[in-house]
């Protein structure tokens, strides 16, 4: 385990989903101050908190603990949790399926190809 990676990875996960420390605290049943301490590696979360992080972000504990650099871990199939409250993601989805958008056809084609490739 690479202890110095735990805090920064927890912060990166939270920020990647545009969650505030308060949002994360509510998910964990902790305080925003605790989240700050986890992310600055002052305090290490409990095992239960680590499990909540792994389940919520759909990643492996190997990644959180710095045992690998891939969020899906060594033997894990990654299916990230997607929050449509993220304005950039919502805009992307709206653009993909908006028939008035000039990019709609190209994006649908790219998404279809990506989905086909994952089935192989």
């Amino acid at each position: 385990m690479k202890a110095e990676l735990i805090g920064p990875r927890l912060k990166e996960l939270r920020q990647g989903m545009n969650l505030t420390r308060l949002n994360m605290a509510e998910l964990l049943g902790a305080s925003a101050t605790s989240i700050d301490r986890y992310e600055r590696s002052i305090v290490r979360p409990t095992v239960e908190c680590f499990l909540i992080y792994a389940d919520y972000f759909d990643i492996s504990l190997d990644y959180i603990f710095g045992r690998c650099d891939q969020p899906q871990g060594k033997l894990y199939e990654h299916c990230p949790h997607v929050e449509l409250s993220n304005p950039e993601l919502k805009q992307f989805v709206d653009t993909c399926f908006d028939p008035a958008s000039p990019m709609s056809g190209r994006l649908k084609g790219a998404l279809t190809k990506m989905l086909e490739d994952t089935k192989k």
Side-chain angles (χ1 to χ4, degrees):
M1 176 170 66
K2 296 180 181 175
E4 68 276 4
L5 291 179
I6 294 173
R9 287 201 171 166
L10 295 178
K11 183 176 183 177
E12 174 189 325
L13 291 168
R14 177 183 60 76
Q15 289 179 332
M17 293 295 287
N18 292 324
L19 296 172
T20 65
R21 285 189 180 103
L22 185 58
N23 297 139
M24 197 70 226
E26 290 171 359
L27 288 168
L28 294 174
S31 68
T33 303
S34 293
I35 303 305
D36 179 61
R37 290 179 180 159
Y38 299 159
E39 293 177 356
R40 291 191 297 135
S41 301
I42 295 170
V43 175
R44 195 167 291 162
T46 64
V47 171
E48 291 79 11
C49 285
F50 280 127
L51 292 174
I52 293 169
Y53 271 101
D55 289 343
Y56 183 80
F57 294 106
D58 197 21
I59 59 168
S60 76
L61 290 172
D62 281 341
Y63 175 75
I64 292 174
F65 294 148
R67 293 182 59 193
C68 69
D69 291 327
Q70 300 302 317
Q72 62 269 30
K74 296 177 183 176
L75 302 174
Y76 186 83
E77 199 169 311
H78 185 58
C79 299
H81 181 76
V82 176
E83 289 286 330
L84 288 178
S85 62
N86 177 337
E88 292 172 358
L89 181 61
K90 183 175 181 341
Q91 182 181 6
F92 174 75
V93 171
D94 289 345
T95 301
C96 287
F97 300 103
D98 179 9
S101 170
M103 293 298 293
S104 185
R106 290 179 62 196
L107 289 170
K108 284 182 183 178
L111 286 172
T112 302
K113 180 164 179 19
M114 286 178 4
L115 292 170
E116 289 171 353
D117 289 347
T118 59
K119 292 178 182 177
K120 294 178 184 177

